[in-house]
Amino acid sequence: RSLTIFVIVLPKADPGYQCSEKVGSSNITALLVVNRVVSILSGGGLSINGKHVYCGDYIFSGHTVIFVMAYLAIKQYTPSKYYLAHWVSLLVSICGIIFLLLARGHYTIDIIVAYALTYWLWITYHTMARIPILKTKHKDNQLKGLLWWHVLRWLESNTDHEVPNEFSIPFWGLIKKFWRRCQSPPLTSVHC
């Protein structure tokens, strides 16, 4: 995304956006950069604080990336019996993208490019992670030319098989143990 922001600059999607003034290359200081970063972070990257520091950084939509990745993660990593969660996350993602377009937060092309790149990256990563030969330096493995292939090999180095889609409540065993202790007659001075 950083590369596309640097290379492709589009006009503001909404003429009502108030952007910071452009600063010439000779006037950029470390303090100015820090101030603009703090301004962006103070609104969570959104227009909540009314200060749009950088306008024209649309290709591609980071918001759409988050919506698509969230849906794909929920769909991929939760058991199929949680179909309601799958449908709700899909609906929330679609509504979020539609609201981005309605609010003129992004152009349609930003959304399409973000969806295409995110989905391609997701499918490519998971295909490479599941097929062992794609994680090797085999002479016929053309995917090893991808820049992030080495990162994938490192991330997936200690997995010999697919991780099962199982769901458990964190610390559930500890909670049950504590609950049983509270239900039994106290043997010590500890009370619940």
Side-chain angles (χ1 to χ4, degrees), residues 15-35:
Y17 281 176
Q18 298 298 319
C19 302
S20 295
E21 291 183 28
K22 292 182 180 180
V23 178
S25 60
S26 61
N27 298 332
I28 294 177
T29 64
L31 182 61
L32 177 68
V33 172
V34 169
N35 283 338

Side-chain angles (χ1 to χ4, degrees), residues 12 15-16 33 36 41 43 52 54 60 66 81 92 95-96 98-99 106 110 113-114 140 162 169 174-175 178:
K12 297 185 289 187
V33 172
R36 289 193 175 191
L41 293 176
H52 299 277
Y54 298 112
F60 54 92
I66 297 299
K81 67 181 179 181
V92 167
C95 287
I98 290 170
F99 291 148
H106 283 281
D110 308 327
V113 169
D140 293 329
E162 184 178 341
I169 298 173
L174 189 63
I175 293 168
F178 180 74

Side-chain angles (χ1 to χ4, degrees), residues 152-171:
L152 171 120
R153 286 187 63 207
W154 179 76
L155 289 171
E156 301 290 332
S157 63
N158 62 351
T159 56
D160 297 333
H161 58 281
E162 184 178 341
V163 178
N165 288 347
E166 295 175 354
F167 181 76
S168 64
I169 298 173
F171 308 111

Side-chain angles (χ1 to χ4, degrees), residues 93-103:
S93 296
I94 290 171
C95 287
I97 292 168
I98 290 170
F99 291 148
L100 271 175
L101 289 169
L102 291 176

Side-chain angles (χ1 to χ4, degrees), residues 102-117:
L102 291 176
R104 294 185 178 178
H106 283 281
Y107 292 106
T108 306
I109 189 67
D110 308 327
I111 306 294
I112 293 168
V113 169
Y115 172 79
L117 286 174

Side-chain angles (χ1 to χ4, degrees), residues 1 4-5 8 10 56-61 106 109-110 113:
R1 185 163 192 270
T4 61
I5 289 172
I8 303 169
L10 297 175
D57 61 341
Y58 296 108
I59 297 279
F60 54 92
S61 168
H106 283 281
I109 189 67
D110 308 327
V113 169

